[in-house]
Amino acid sequence: MRLSLAKLLALSCLYEVSQGSPVPLGNEYQLQPYNIDLSSRVPRMLDLIKGTKLPAQPVYINTGTSAGISLSLLESFQTEWQTIFDWNREQEEMNKFNHYTAVIEGLKIHFIHERSEAEDAIPLLLVHGWPGSFLEFVPVINELTQNATTATGQNVSFHVVVASLPGFAFSSSPPVNWTVADTARVFNTLLTKVLHYDTYATFGTDWGAGIAYSLYSQFNNTVRALSLDFLPFQPYTPAQLAAENITLSPLEEFEQAEATEWENTGEGYFIEQTTKANTIGLALYDNPVGQLAWIGEKFVNWSDPNAGQSPSVLTHNEILRSVSLYYLSECFASSVVIYQQNANGFSTVYTKANNDAPLLFSAFKYNVGFWPPAVVAKTGNLVLYTNHESGGHFPGLDNPPALLEDLREIATYWSN
């Protein structure tokens, strides 16, 4: 029997992702390569961007971004979107990675899978949050697959998996009452049953931190290292820190103040999406400039003030690429549902995971949440805590070299 070229290519791709064990075409998870092609939707997006009328004068004058995204900044983004941004170029860059989909528990899960050539490479699952996507990790994926060394000179490289959360990008929308623990279970199936990794490490940020922590807690035989820059627990207040005699360094005091300010003034979106996800989802569903205002403000306010300047790669183009992905993949409404479905996703009650595997934590100066080492240690086997003088809520974009360095330290503590 002669196979078509398409089937031969599919077989080749499936062999690559199965760690040496060919997966039959009729496999139960329907694993197959995926190509991003949203170009047909771009003309409508550009027409809507061009046709969106903004106020002639700002409602709030000289407030910067304290009242939300400013009119001048939104106008700048709108102009750049129409005149400079090129979706086809960005899509071509995205498709340079190996994209796949698999069907797990009835959900189509999209993911990138890039393998290292090293035989002892560590499988690593990277988990994004909102308003992120797999694009958050694009600056570090290829570097992670390359041979490098840890701070102690140990060789390290990774087989990298970046999965899109249910309801994000090209992954199916989740059913009612779907929790981060459910996503963790599906992702564990992806790593162990679809890709055939016996053990793996994981990193999570924002909602992805909750998913990664749930993986660490639920699947202690397969998740053998956890790295985070965020916790699925409410940060301590100054009073709580004082009650436990936790003293802070000057950098930590700055981070604590920033986190307290964000808690006081930056959580309006959180309340809206947790209580009325459908309203905001439908209001902005077919409104690219509206999505840009809603999402772009988070990228701007949650990041290092020097965004776009090395080591940050969080340029205007990067923000437009992320918002375009949300609009063109029609996932905005389904992405915000994670808030309503996980209203207590950031708990006030700290628990320690039943896992002796190492926990590594990366703090970034301008992140919106802050947890000092003594607090992080309450949640797992903390072996390394690193605090960075630059970077914010999107470390793969805000400070890729620091995230790379921290993730590579997993190898120092890795053991199957």
mmCIF file with all atom_site columns, all heavy atoms in Angstrom, residues 337-356:
data_model
loop_
_atom_site.group_PDB
_atom_site.id
_atom_site.type_symbol
_atom_site.label_atom_id
_atom_site.label_alt_id
_atom_site.label_comp_id
_atom_site.label_asym_id
_atom_site.label_entity_id
_atom_site.label_seq_id
_atom_site.pdbx_PDB_ins_code
_atom_site.Cartn_x
_atom_site.Cartn_y
_atom_site.Cartn_z
_atom_site.occupancy
_atom_site.B_iso_or_equiv
_atom_site.pdbx_formal_charge
_atom_site.auth_seq_id
_atom_site.auth_comp_id
_atom_site.auth_asym_id
_atom_site.auth_atom_id
_atom_site.pdbx_PDB_model_num
ATOM 1   N N   . VAL A 1 337 ? -13.532 33.154 30.483 1.00 0.00 ? 337 VAL A N   1
ATOM 2   C CA  . VAL A 1 337 ? -14.364 32.246 31.277 1.00 0.00 ? 337 VAL A CA  1
ATOM 3   C C   . VAL A 1 337 ? -13.567 31.604 32.413 1.00 0.00 ? 337 VAL A C   1
ATOM 4   O O   . VAL A 1 337 ? -14.135 31.245 33.456 1.00 0.00 ? 337 VAL A O   1
ATOM 5   C CB  . VAL A 1 337 ? -14.978 31.167 30.357 1.00 0.00 ? 337 VAL A CB  1
ATOM 6   C CG1 . VAL A 1 337 ? -15.622 30.054 31.165 1.00 0.00 ? 337 VAL A CG1 1
ATOM 7   C CG2 . VAL A 1 337 ? -16.016 31.798 29.432 1.00 0.00 ? 337 VAL A CG2 1
ATOM 8   N N   . ILE A 1 338 ? -12.261 31.483 32.259 1.00 0.00 ? 338 ILE A N   1
ATOM 9   C CA  . ILE A 1 338 ? -11.442 30.857 33.299 1.00 0.00 ? 338 ILE A CA  1
ATOM 10  C C   . ILE A 1 338 ? -11.592 31.578 34.636 1.00 0.00 ? 338 ILE A C   1
ATOM 11  O O   . ILE A 1 338 ? -11.505 30.957 35.702 1.00 0.00 ? 338 ILE A O   1
ATOM 12  C CB  . ILE A 1 338 ? -9.953  30.815 32.873 1.00 0.00 ? 338 ILE A CB  1
ATOM 13  C CG1 . ILE A 1 338 ? -9.151  29.892 33.803 1.00 0.00 ? 338 ILE A CG1 1
ATOM 14  C CG2 . ILE A 1 338 ? -9.349  32.200 32.792 1.00 0.00 ? 338 ILE A CG2 1
ATOM 15  C CD1 . ILE A 1 338 ? -7.731  29.638 33.334 1.00 0.00 ? 338 ILE A CD1 1
ATOM 16  N N   . TYR A 1 339 ? -11.885 32.869 34.608 1.00 0.00 ? 339 TYR A N   1
ATOM 17  C CA  . TYR A 1 339 ? -12.075 33.628 35.844 1.00 0.00 ? 339 TYR A CA  1
ATOM 18  C C   . TYR A 1 339 ? -13.366 33.216 36.540 1.00 0.00 ? 339 TYR A C   1
ATOM 19  O O   . TYR A 1 339 ? -13.379 32.971 37.748 1.00 0.00 ? 339 TYR A O   1
ATOM 20  C CB  . TYR A 1 339 ? -12.085 35.129 35.545 1.00 0.00 ? 339 TYR A CB  1
ATOM 21  C CG  . TYR A 1 339 ? -10.728 35.685 35.213 1.00 0.00 ? 339 TYR A CG  1
ATOM 22  C CD1 . TYR A 1 339 ? -10.196 35.558 33.930 1.00 0.00 ? 339 TYR A CD1 1
ATOM 23  C CD2 . TYR A 1 339 ? -9.955  36.318 36.175 1.00 0.00 ? 339 TYR A CD2 1
ATOM 24  C CE1 . TYR A 1 339 ? -8.942  36.057 33.624 1.00 0.00 ? 339 TYR A CE1 1
ATOM 25  C CE2 . TYR A 1 339 ? -8.692  36.819 35.880 1.00 0.00 ? 339 TYR A CE2 1
ATOM 26  C CZ  . TYR A 1 339 ? -8.197  36.679 34.605 1.00 0.00 ? 339 TYR A CZ  1
ATOM 27  O OH  . TYR A 1 339 ? -6.935  37.156 34.313 1.00 0.00 ? 339 TYR A OH  1
ATOM 28  N N   . GLN A 1 340 ? -14.463 33.158 35.793 1.00 0.00 ? 340 GLN A N   1
ATOM 29  C CA  . GLN A 1 340 ? -15.746 32.815 36.400 1.00 0.00 ? 340 GLN A CA  1
ATOM 30  C C   . GLN A 1 340 ? -15.755 31.361 36.875 1.00 0.00 ? 340 GLN A C   1
ATOM 31  O O   . GLN A 1 340 ? -16.375 31.028 37.886 1.00 0.00 ? 340 GLN A O   1
ATOM 32  C CB  . GLN A 1 340 ? -16.878 33.053 35.404 1.00 0.00 ? 340 GLN A CB  1
ATOM 33  C CG  . GLN A 1 340 ? -18.260 32.943 36.031 1.00 0.00 ? 340 GLN A CG  1
ATOM 34  C CD  . GLN A 1 340 ? -19.196 34.045 35.571 1.00 0.00 ? 340 GLN A CD  1
ATOM 35  O OE1 . GLN A 1 340 ? -18.968 34.694 34.562 1.00 0.00 ? 340 GLN A OE1 1
ATOM 36  N NE2 . GLN A 1 340 ? -20.257 34.291 36.324 1.00 0.00 ? 340 GLN A NE2 1
ATOM 37  N N   . GLN A 1 341 ? -15.063 30.487 36.158 1.00 0.00 ? 341 GLN A N   1
ATOM 38  C CA  . GLN A 1 341 ? -15.048 29.086 36.529 1.00 0.00 ? 341 GLN A CA  1
ATOM 39  C C   . GLN A 1 341 ? -14.116 28.783 37.700 1.00 0.00 ? 341 GLN A C   1
ATOM 40  O O   . GLN A 1 341 ? -14.183 27.702 38.274 1.00 0.00 ? 341 GLN A O   1
ATOM 41  C CB  . GLN A 1 341 ? -14.637 28.231 35.317 1.00 0.00 ? 341 GLN A CB  1
ATOM 42  C CG  . GLN A 1 341 ? -15.674 28.244 34.198 1.00 0.00 ? 341 GLN A CG  1
ATOM 43  C CD  . GLN A 1 341 ? -15.285 27.332 33.055 1.00 0.00 ? 341 GLN A CD  1
ATOM 44  O OE1 . GLN A 1 341 ? -14.113 27.140 32.775 1.00 0.00 ? 341 GLN A OE1 1
ATOM 45  N NE2 . GLN A 1 341 ? -16.272 26.754 32.394 1.00 0.00 ? 341 GLN A NE2 1
ATOM 46  N N   . ASN A 1 342 ? -13.243 29.723 38.005 1.00 0.00 ? 342 ASN A N   1
ATOM 47  C CA  . ASN A 1 342 ? -12.278 29.529 39.099 1.00 0.00 ? 342 ASN A CA  1
ATOM 48  C C   . ASN A 1 342 ? -12.277 30.751 40.008 1.00 0.00 ? 342 ASN A C   1
ATOM 49  O O   . ASN A 1 342 ? -11.244 31.389 40.231 1.00 0.00 ? 342 ASN A O   1
ATOM 50  C CB  . ASN A 1 342 ? -10.879 29.296 38.531 1.00 0.00 ? 342 ASN A CB  1
ATOM 51  C CG  . ASN A 1 342 ? -10.773 28.024 37.730 1.00 0.00 ? 342 ASN A CG  1
ATOM 52  O OD1 . ASN A 1 342 ? -10.515 26.951 38.255 1.00 0.00 ? 342 ASN A OD1 1
ATOM 53  N ND2 . ASN A 1 342 ? -10.987 28.141 36.414 1.00 0.00 ? 342 ASN A ND2 1
ATOM 54  N N   . ALA A 1 343 ? -13.460 31.072 40.527 1.00 0.00 ? 343 ALA A N   1
ATOM 55  C CA  . ALA A 1 343 ? -13.608 32.286 41.340 1.00 0.00 ? 343 ALA A CA  1
ATOM 56  C C   . ALA A 1 343 ? -12.693 32.282 42.556 1.00 0.00 ? 343 ALA A C   1
ATOM 57  O O   . ALA A 1 343 ? -12.297 33.347 43.052 1.00 0.00 ? 343 ALA A O   1
ATOM 58  C CB  . ALA A 1 343 ? -15.062 32.434 41.787 1.00 0.00 ? 343 ALA A CB  1
ATOM 59  N N   . ASN A 1 344 ? -12.337 31.106 43.050 1.00 0.00 ? 344 ASN A N   1
ATOM 60  C CA  . ASN A 1 344 ? -11.422 30.996 44.192 1.00 0.00 ? 344 ASN A CA  1
ATOM 61  C C   . ASN A 1 344 ? -10.074 30.427 43.764 1.00 0.00 ? 344 ASN A C   1
ATOM 62  O O   . ASN A 1 344 ? -9.408  29.731 44.519 1.00 0.00 ? 344 ASN A O   1
ATOM 63  C CB  . ASN A 1 344 ? -12.048 30.116 45.274 1.00 0.00 ? 344 ASN A CB  1
ATOM 64  C CG  . ASN A 1 344 ? -13.344 30.704 45.825 1.00 0.00 ? 344 ASN A CG  1
ATOM 65  O OD1 . ASN A 1 344 ? -13.403 31.885 46.159 1.00 0.00 ? 344 ASN A OD1 1
ATOM 66  N ND2 . ASN A 1 344 ? -14.387 29.887 45.891 1.00 0.00 ? 344 ASN A ND2 1
ATOM 67  N N   . GLY A 1 345 ? -9.707  30.757 42.528 1.00 0.00 ? 345 GLY A N   1
ATOM 68  C CA  . GLY A 1 345 ? -8.470  30.220 41.978 1.00 0.00 ? 345 GLY A CA  1
ATOM 69  C C   . GLY A 1 345 ? -7.217  30.704 42.672 1.00 0.00 ? 345 GLY A C   1
ATOM 70  O O   . GLY A 1 345 ? -6.166  30.062 42.598 1.00 0.00 ? 345 GLY A O   1
ATOM 71  N N   . PHE A 1 346 ? -7.316  31.851 43.346 1.00 0.00 ? 346 PHE A N   1
ATOM 72  C CA  . PHE A 1 346 ? -6.189  32.377 44.122 1.00 0.00 ? 346 PHE A CA  1
ATOM 73  C C   . PHE A 1 346 ? -6.630  32.395 45.586 1.00 0.00 ? 346 PHE A C   1
ATOM 74  O O   . PHE A 1 346 ? -7.247  33.342 46.059 1.00 0.00 ? 346 PHE A O   1
ATOM 75  C CB  . PHE A 1 346 ? -5.779  33.755 43.612 1.00 0.00 ? 346 PHE A CB  1
ATOM 76  C CG  . PHE A 1 346 ? -5.271  33.716 42.194 1.00 0.00 ? 346 PHE A CG  1
ATOM 77  C CD1 . PHE A 1 346 ? -6.131  33.908 41.130 1.00 0.00 ? 346 PHE A CD1 1
ATOM 78  C CD2 . PHE A 1 346 ? -3.942  33.434 41.931 1.00 0.00 ? 346 PHE A CD2 1
ATOM 79  C CE1 . PHE A 1 346 ? -5.676  33.842 39.814 1.00 0.00 ? 346 PHE A CE1 1
ATOM 80  C CE2 . PHE A 1 346 ? -3.467  33.367 40.624 1.00 0.00 ? 346 PHE A CE2 1
ATOM 81  C CZ  . PHE A 1 346 ? -4.339  33.570 39.562 1.00 0.00 ? 346 PHE A CZ  1
ATOM 82  N N   . SER A 1 347 ? -6.273  31.325 46.277 1.00 0.00 ? 347 SER A N   1
ATOM 83  C CA  . SER A 1 347 ? -6.807  31.076 47.612 1.00 0.00 ? 347 SER A CA  1
ATOM 84  C C   . SER A 1 347 ? -6.107  31.902 48.682 1.00 0.00 ? 347 SER A C   1
ATOM 85  O O   . SER A 1 347 ? -4.926  32.252 48.556 1.00 0.00 ? 347 SER A O   1
ATOM 86  C CB  . SER A 1 347 ? -6.653  29.588 47.941 1.00 0.00 ? 347 SER A CB  1
ATOM 87  O OG  . SER A 1 347 ? -7.090  29.317 49.255 1.00 0.00 ? 347 SER A OG  1
ATOM 88  N N   . THR A 1 348 ? -6.848  32.194 49.745 1.00 0.00 ? 348 THR A N   1
ATOM 89  C CA  . THR A 1 348 ? -6.255  32.867 50.903 1.00 0.00 ? 348 THR A CA  1
ATOM 90  C C   . THR A 1 348 ? -5.678  31.850 51.886 1.00 0.00 ? 348 THR A C   1
ATOM 91  O O   . THR A 1 348 ? -4.958  32.214 52.809 1.00 0.00 ? 348 THR A O   1
ATOM 92  C CB  . THR A 1 348 ? -7.309  33.730 51.629 1.00 0.00 ? 348 THR A CB  1
ATOM 93  O OG1 . THR A 1 348 ? -8.405  32.888 52.013 1.00 0.00 ? 348 THR A OG1 1
ATOM 94  C CG2 . THR A 1 348 ? -7.817  34.840 50.717 1.00 0.00 ? 348 THR A CG2 1
ATOM 95  N N   . VAL A 1 349 ? -6.023  30.582 51.693 1.00 0.00 ? 349 VAL A N   1
ATOM 96  C CA  . VAL A 1 349 ? -5.548  29.514 52.576 1.00 0.00 ? 349 VAL A CA  1
ATOM 97  C C   . VAL A 1 349 ? -4.395  28.777 51.885 1.00 0.00 ? 349 VAL A C   1
ATOM 98  O O   . VAL A 1 349 ? -4.587  28.149 50.846 1.00 0.00 ? 349 VAL A O   1
ATOM 99  C CB  . VAL A 1 349 ? -6.669  28.521 52.915 1.00 0.00 ? 349 VAL A CB  1
ATOM 100 C CG1 . VAL A 1 349 ? -6.139  27.411 53.818 1.00 0.00 ? 349 VAL A CG1 1
ATOM 101 C CG2 . VAL A 1 349 ? -7.838  29.244 53.573 1.00 0.00 ? 349 VAL A CG2 1
ATOM 102 N N   . TYR A 1 350 ? -3.224  28.869 52.465 1.00 0.00 ? 350 TYR A N   1
ATOM 103 C CA  . TYR A 1 350 ? -2.042  28.244 51.876 1.00 0.00 ? 350 TYR A CA  1
ATOM 104 C C   . TYR A 1 350 ? -2.005  26.756 52.214 1.00 0.00 ? 350 TYR A C   1
ATOM 105 O O   . TYR A 1 350 ? -2.283  26.351 53.343 1.00 0.00 ? 350 TYR A O   1
ATOM 106 C CB  . TYR A 1 350 ? -0.770  28.913 52.393 1.00 0.00 ? 350 TYR A CB  1
ATOM 107 C CG  . TYR A 1 350 ? -0.400  30.178 51.654 1.00 0.00 ? 350 TYR A CG  1
ATOM 108 C CD1 . TYR A 1 350 ? -1.236  31.292 51.670 1.00 0.00 ? 350 TYR A CD1 1
ATOM 109 C CD2 . TYR A 1 350 ? 0.773   30.260 50.921 1.00 0.00 ? 350 TYR A CD2 1
ATOM 110 C CE1 . TYR A 1 350 ? -0.911  32.447 50.992 1.00 0.00 ? 350 TYR A CE1 1
ATOM 111 C CE2 . TYR A 1 350 ? 1.116   31.414 50.240 1.00 0.00 ? 350 TYR A CE2 1
ATOM 112 C CZ  . TYR A 1 350 ? 0.276   32.510 50.262 1.00 0.00 ? 350 TYR A CZ  1
ATOM 113 O OH  . TYR A 1 350 ? 0.603   33.649 49.588 1.00 0.00 ? 350 TYR A OH  1
ATOM 114 N N   . THR A 1 351 ? -1.672  25.958 51.199 1.00 0.00 ? 351 THR A N   1
ATOM 115 C CA  . THR A 1 351 ? -1.492  24.526 51.406 1.00 0.00 ? 351 THR A CA  1
ATOM 116 C C   . THR A 1 351 ? -0.149  24.120 50.820 1.00 0.00 ? 351 THR A C   1
ATOM 117 O O   . THR A 1 351 ? 0.360   24.768 49.902 1.00 0.00 ? 351 THR A O   1
ATOM 118 C CB  . THR A 1 351 ? -2.609  23.727 50.721 1.00 0.00 ? 351 THR A CB  1
ATOM 119 O OG1 . THR A 1 351 ? -2.631  24.050 49.317 1.00 0.00 ? 351 THR A OG1 1
ATOM 120 C CG2 . THR A 1 351 ? -3.952  24.024 51.345 1.00 0.00 ? 351 THR A CG2 1
ATOM 121 N N   . LYS A 1 352 ? 0.405   23.054 51.354 1.00 0.00 ? 352 LYS A N   1
ATOM 122 C CA  . LYS A 1 352 ? 1.685   22.558 50.849 1.00 0.00 ? 352 LYS A CA  1
ATOM 123 C C   . LYS A 1 352 ? 1.438   21.318 50.010 1.00 0.00 ? 352 LYS A C   1
ATOM 124 O O   . LYS A 1 352 ? 0.767   20.385 50.448 1.00 0.00 ? 352 LYS A O   1
ATOM 125 C CB  . LYS A 1 352 ? 2.639   22.232 52.009 1.00 0.00 ? 352 LYS A CB  1
ATOM 126 C CG  . LYS A 1 352 ? 4.081   22.044 51.552 1.00 0.00 ? 352 LYS A CG  1
ATOM 127 C CD  . LYS A 1 352 ? 5.051   22.224 52.711 1.00 0.00 ? 352 LYS A CD  1
ATOM 128 C CE  . LYS A 1 352 ? 6.488   22.307 52.217 1.00 0.00 ? 352 LYS A CE  1
ATOM 129 N NZ  . LYS A 1 352 ? 7.434   22.674 53.277 1.00 0.00 ? 352 LYS A NZ  1
ATOM 130 N N   . ALA A 1 353 ? 1.976   21.329 48.787 1.00 0.00 ? 353 ALA A N   1
ATOM 131 C CA  . ALA A 1 353 ? 1.763   20.214 47.879 1.00 0.00 ? 353 ALA A CA  1
ATOM 132 C C   . ALA A 1 353 ? 2.410   18.940 48.414 1.00 0.00 ? 353 ALA A C   1
ATOM 133 O O   . ALA A 1 353 ? 3.472   18.977 49.048 1.00 0.00 ? 353 ALA A O   1
ATOM 134 C CB  . ALA A 1 353 ? 2.353   20.546 46.512 1.00 0.00 ? 353 ALA A CB  1
ATOM 135 N N   . ASN A 1 354 ? 1.755   17.820 48.152 1.00 0.00 ? 354 ASN A N   1
ATOM 136 C CA  . ASN A 1 354 ? 2.278   16.523 48.547 1.00 0.00 ? 354 ASN A CA  1
ATOM 137 C C   . ASN A 1 354 ? 3.266   16.046 47.487 1.00 0.00 ? 354 ASN A C   1
ATOM 138 O O   . ASN A 1 354 ? 3.002   15.105 46.730 1.00 0.00 ? 354 ASN A O   1
ATOM 139 C CB  . ASN A 1 354 ? 1.134   15.518 48.708 1.00 0.00 ? 354 ASN A CB  1
ATOM 140 C CG  . ASN A 1 354 ? 1.626   14.150 49.146 1.00 0.00 ? 354 ASN A CG  1
ATOM 141 O OD1 . ASN A 1 354 ? 2.654   14.037 49.814 1.00 0.00 ? 354 ASN A OD1 1
ATOM 142 N ND2 . ASN A 1 354 ? 0.896   13.105 48.766 1.00 0.00 ? 354 ASN A ND2 1
ATOM 143 N N   . ASN A 1 355 ? 4.411   16.735 47.421 1.00 0.00 ? 355 ASN A N   1
ATOM 144 C CA  . ASN A 1 355 ? 5.403   16.430 46.406 1.00 0.00 ? 355 ASN A CA  1
ATOM 145 C C   . ASN A 1 355 ? 6.766   16.869 46.932 1.00 0.00 ? 355 ASN A C   1
ATOM 146 O O   . ASN A 1 355 ? 6.925   18.013 47.354 1.00 0.00 ? 355 ASN A O   1
ATOM 147 C CB  . ASN A 1 355 ? 5.075   17.172 45.103 1.00 0.00 ? 355 ASN A CB  1
ATOM 148 C CG  . ASN A 1 355 ? 5.832   16.619 43.905 1.00 0.00 ? 355 ASN A CG  1
ATOM 149 O OD1 . ASN A 1 355 ? 6.935   16.096 44.044 1.00 0.00 ? 355 ASN A OD1 1
ATOM 150 N ND2 . ASN A 1 355 ? 5.238   16.749 42.724 1.00 0.00 ? 355 ASN A ND2 1
ATOM 151 N N   . ASP A 1 356 ? 7.725   15.951 46.917 1.00 0.00 ? 356 ASP A N   1
ATOM 152 C CA  . ASP A 1 356 ? 9.059   16.294 47.390 1.00 0.00 ? 356 ASP A CA  1
ATOM 153 C C   . ASP A 1 356 ? 9.950   16.806 46.274 1.00 0.00 ? 356 ASP A C   1
ATOM 154 O O   . ASP A 1 356 ? 11.125  17.123 46.486 1.00 0.00 ? 356 ASP A O   1
ATOM 155 C CB  . ASP A 1 356 ? 9.718   15.083 48.059 1.00 0.00 ? 356 ASP A CB  1
ATOM 156 C CG  . ASP A 1 356 ? 9.912   13.920 47.083 1.00 0.00 ? 356 ASP A CG  1
ATOM 157 O OD1 . ASP A 1 356 ? 9.472   14.025 45.917 1.00 0.00 ? 356 ASP A OD1 1
ATOM 158 O OD2 . ASP A 1 356 ? 10.516  12.903 47.490 1.00 0.00 ? 356 ASP A OD2 1
#
